[in-house]
Amino acid sequence: MARKSAVQAAKNQGPVETEKEWTIGSYLIQRLQDHGLSDIFGIPGDFVLQFYGMLEESPINVIGCTREDCAGYAADGYARVHGIGAVCVTYCVGGLSLCNSIAGAFAEKSPVVVISGAPGVDERKSNPLLHHRVRDFHTQREVFEKITVANASLDDPLTAFREIDRCLEAAVRYKRPVYLELPRDRVNVRCPYPHVPKVESFESDKDALQESLAEAQRVINACKKPVIIAGVEMHRFGLADEVVKFAEENSIPMCATLLGKSVVSEKHPLYLGIYEGAMCRDSLRNYVEESDCVIMLGAFLTDIDMGIFTANINPSKCIYSTSEHTRISHHHFLDILVTDFVKGLRNLDLNVVKRPMLEKSREATTPYKLQPQAKITNARLFARINELIDETMIVIADVGDCLFSAADLTIYRKTEFISPAYYTSMGFAIPASIGVNVAAPDRRPIVLVGDGAFQMTCMELSTAVRHGFNPIVIVLNNKGYTTERFLQDGPFNDILNWNYHRMPDLLGGGWGFEVRTEGELDQSLNAAMANKDAFSILNVHLEPDDISKALQRLAEGLSKRL
């Protein structure tokens, strides 16, 4: 892939200081702002206190969290809406607690900047056993090498400023986390030479791009049943509008993956639904799998997105393009930017056969009718939530059957559905809602979380109370790990039943509701919508064996294979 280098001031930089007056800490803060970051999450500690003091004096808003892993989830949620996020913690006890949430951001391509304090360089002489140290002073950075796309120790002022530029550019280019370690005696060290940020731009190989688009044109013009599968990278790289325009200009039906849900508006007339192998409805599955040209753009072929590999898509009939690879049938093309390929599709001379649209499912067209005395069920809960959702909301689904159930919700605008649908780390949703609240204060998070996942990270609602955030948290209380019960039942899947609706009493803020019937659900949701000054939590009692249709379809699909 061709690369152009130019030494120039970064966009929007305009520092009031001269280059020689930058310190490592102040330069890092400025460069975060240059990349559009206005908020940072984390927990302070003695090895990072000086830098926290600088953050407090800067325009960047600092959001303190209850746990480091929750701060990572919050930064991840923020990045998925805002474009880039950041988290700042102390050495090892803070940084190593972050590993799981940052691993999820790496897996699902969410650009989070991890900033960790560290013992001072001068403190390390004679190799002392300083507190928080694990094995040696490099252990934490070596761990993060495996779950970030770039990392650096800012211990040398001769290289620190270039390393900051390099790592932040990598986060933006690859849409993955990066790691910066800042020794506490280097925060106020000045740059020993005039430094101007170096901005690098990248280009596709022109011949490879031209040949790939020419082959795509031949394949699309020859097909009779085209379909587009849009994946999460179309959002990460800002290409959602390009995909929609390409579909509209050629009347090609679109669907999305579960991880990429809401990458296009699900009210669009060309939208079919979520394709996920055996987990999606049969009519949609057949429509996609009978296609003679599946145009997969920015989609990860994960086990979850492919219905635990129950998907049956013939690679020889695929046009597949991501940030890492482009393949048409069995022909592989290297050094092509996904941005160039997707935009190039719109410039092709296409004569596409117009394919009849799939009829909508009966559930999608049947209006919800309240049955006040009826016991609430999974299906009726999500039917009511589907009626509730509008363009002012962002749905955040945790891992479990709440995620599978949410696949059939209708999302109005792009970036309105967030979930860890590949890495599937339980406990993501509540802290991620904090990041979403900060990134998009004009939109209200609707959090869908199972009781098991809730118990892992629920104390982050304390941050919501502290800052006056107002997520609506819907706890699917089925007394344990329902998805795992489906895989293998046993008492290890049972958990203690909490009075989830009493959380506001503990935290001193918020509104709680207990739900056992449809009437109580309706009243609770109406009250939650009216209570805009604080979070609301609904404790929705469900039977342990009450599962979504998606999970039922998956069970049936797997049973035919086993």
Side-chain angles (χ1 to χ4, degrees):
M1 194 171 295
R3 182 173 69 179
K4 291 183 176 180
S5 298
V7 178
Q8 60 184 69
K11 183 180 179 182
N12 299 328
Q13 184 174 341
V16 294
E17 301 173 273
T18 64
E19 289 84 351
K20 288 185 179 180
E21 292 177 327
W22 287 117
T23 65
I24 294 176
S26 65
Y27 184 75
L28 174 55
I29 289 173
Q30 181 61 53
R31 295 299 284 134
L32 290 173
Q33 295 177 79
D34 293 342
H35 284 278
L37 195 139
S38 53
D39 307 275
I40 193 169
F41 303 85
I43 297 178
D46 61 339
F47 286 117
V48 77
L49 284 177
Q50 285 189 67
F51 186 66
Y52 257 87
M54 296 182 74
L55 284 170
E56 287 293 345
E57 295 175 357
S58 77
I60 295 178
N61 179 37
V62 179
I63 306 293
C65 298
T66 62
R67 293 165 45 113
E68 286 88 356
D69 58 346
C70 288
Y73 288 132
D76 185 357
Y78 180 95
R80 297 184 191 214
V81 173
H82 186 72
I84 190 171
V87 58
C88 184
V89 295
T90 194
Y91 181 63
C92 281
V93 293
L96 296 180
S97 294
L98 264 179
C99 284
N100 185 57
S101 48
I102 297 305
F106 182 91
E108 299 184 356
K109 291 200 172 179
S110 182
V112 176
V113 180
V114 178
I115 303 167
S116 174
V121 175
D122 292 341
E123 294 177 87
R124 306 181 193 187
K125 295 176 181 178
S126 303
N127 200 29
L129 295 179
L130 295 178
H131 64 286
H132 298 344
R133 176 177 164 176
V134 179
R135 183 172 182 173
D136 57 42
F137 290 112
H138 305 295
T139 299
Q140 178 174 267
R141 182 175 58 81
E142 291 170 352
V143 169
F144 272 94
E145 283 180 356
K146 304 297 184 182
I147 54 175
T148 57
V149 73
N151 74 91
S153 176
L154 306 179
D155 52 9
D156 185 350
L158 289 172
T159 61
F161 298 84
R162 291 196 303 271
E163 288 289 72
I164 290 170
D165 295 340
R166 178 181 66 84
C167 288
L168 294 182
E169 287 290 337
V172 172
R173 180 187 175 193
Y174 296 105
K175 311 302 180 187
R176 278 189 158 138
V178 295
Y179 174 79
L180 294 169
E181 188 169 286
L182 179 57
R184 62 178 170 183
D185 63 354
R186 293 295 185 262
V187 175
N188 291 309
V189 172
R190 297 189 179 278
C191 185
Y193 59 88
H195 175 77
V196 179
K198 184 172 70 172
V199 179
E200 296 180 332
S201 60
F202 297 85
E203 293 181 339
S204 298
D205 181 290
K206 292 182 179 179
D207 292 335
L209 177 63
Q210 184 177 352
E211 288 188 19
S212 65
L213 289 171
E215 182 163 351
Q217 177 174 296
R218 290 194 298 272
V219 171
I220 295 172
N221 280 335
C223 75
K224 304 296 182 185
K225 298 178 179 180
V227 69
I228 294 171
I229 299 180
V232 69
E233 280 195 340
M234 294 300 96
H235 164 57
R236 299 285 193 267
F237 288 89
L239 294 170
D241 289 341
E242 294 290 334
V243 174
V244 172
K245 290 175 183 176
F246 171 65
E248 291 173 341
E249 290 163 358
N250 298 282
S251 300
I252 303 176
M254 300 177 288
C255 56
T257 62
L258 186 56
L259 184 60
K261 182 175 171 65
S262 81
V263 70
V264 296
S265 171
E266 298 181 354
K267 285 289 187 179
H268 196 284
L270 288 172
Y271 182 73
L272 300 168
I274 299 295
Y275 174 76
E276 46 184 342
M279 288 194 290
C280 64
R281 66 185 190 275
D282 287 341
S283 57
L284 173 56
R285 182 183 184 184
N286 294 334
Y287 190 94
V288 172
E289 295 179 359
E290 290 173 359
S291 173
D292 57 355
C293 181
V294 180
I295 307 169
M296 304 182 72
L297 303 175
F300 296 170
L301 301 182
T302 71
D303 57 346
I304 301 298
D305 277 350
M306 295 295 105
I308 316 299
F309 295 129
T310 56
N312 184 24
I313 298 177
N314 189 340
S316 66
K317 298 179 180 178
C318 286
I319 296 173
Y320 179 68
S321 182
T322 69
S323 63
E324 299 176 3
H325 192 64
T326 296
R327 186 189 76 235
I328 301 176
S329 186
H330 296 291
H331 298 167
H332 298 256
F333 298 88
L334 303 178
D335 298 331
I336 294 176
L337 296 175
V338 67
T339 302
D340 292 339
F341 184 82
V342 172
K343 291 181 177 180
L345 289 175
R346 293 190 59 203
N347 297 323
L348 299 180
D349 183 14
L350 297 177
N351 184 20
V352 183
V353 174
K354 189 171 183 179
R355 188 178 181 187
M357 282 295 293
L358 184 66
E359 290 187 9
K360 292 188 178 295
S361 65
R362 195 174 74 174
E363 292 89 345
T365 56
T366 303
Y368 176 84
K369 292 184 179 180
L370 177 64
Q371 301 172 29
Q373 302 305 316
K375 186 177 180 180
I376 192 64
T377 64
N378 183 295
R380 294 291 288 171
L381 168 65
F382 279 86
R384 178 63 178 87
I385 293 172
N386 202 44
E387 183 186 67
L388 174 77
I389 296 170
D390 62 26
E391 65 277 1
T392 67
M393 301 173 184
I394 297 180
V395 177
I396 307 168
D398 214 297
V399 176
D401 204 27
C402 58
L403 174 58
F404 298 140
S405 299
D408 291 328
L409 293 177
T410 301
I411 307 298
Y412 286 69
R413 287 164 50 186
K414 58 191 177 187
T415 326
E416 283 208 339
F417 184 87
I418 296 173
S419 74
Y422 168 35
Y423 188 63
T424 59
S425 179
M426 292 174 65
F428 169 88
I430 289 177
S433 76
I434 301 298
V436 169
N437 254 132
V438 175
D442 59 327
R443 297 163 75 184
R444 195 168 189 184
I446 306 296
V447 180
L448 307 175
V449 58
D451 48 352
F454 181 88
Q455 291 189 9
M456 294 181 178
T457 55
C458 61
M459 292 310 296
E460 212 53 52
L461 287 174
S462 173
T463 306
V465 173
R466 180 182 180 187
H467 293 278
F469 298 149
N470 63 352
I472 297 176
V473 180
I474 301 174
V475 181
L476 279 65
N477 183 1
N478 43 30
K479 318 303 184 292
Y481 306 129
T482 293
T483 304
E484 294 180 8
R485 286 184 180 129
F486 142 71
L487 296 171
Q488 181 167 334
D489 201 4
F492 41 78
N493 289 321
D494 300 332
I495 63 174
L496 181 66
N497 182 33
W498 291 5
N499 291 323
Y500 301 101
H501 56 289
R502 301 295 299 275
M503 284 293 292
D505 297 339
L506 172 65
L507 299 174
W511 304 83
F513 307 92
E514 189 167 22
V515 174
R516 297 182 185 274
T517 67
E518 290 189 18
E520 291 173 345
L521 174 65
D522 193 68
Q523 293 172 2
S524 300
L525 287 175
N526 290 335
M529 289 298 295
N531 298 330
K532 297 181 179 180
D533 58 337
F535 82 89
S536 295
I537 182 169
L538 280 65
N539 179 10
V540 182
H541 292 272
L542 298 170
E543 293 297 325
D545 59 352
D546 182 8
I547 63 175
S548 66
K549 289 187 176 181
L551 193 54
Q552 291 173 1
R553 290 190 291 259
L554 177 61
E556 293 169 358
L558 288 177
S559 66
K560 296 175 182 178
R561 300 174 59 194
L562 300 177

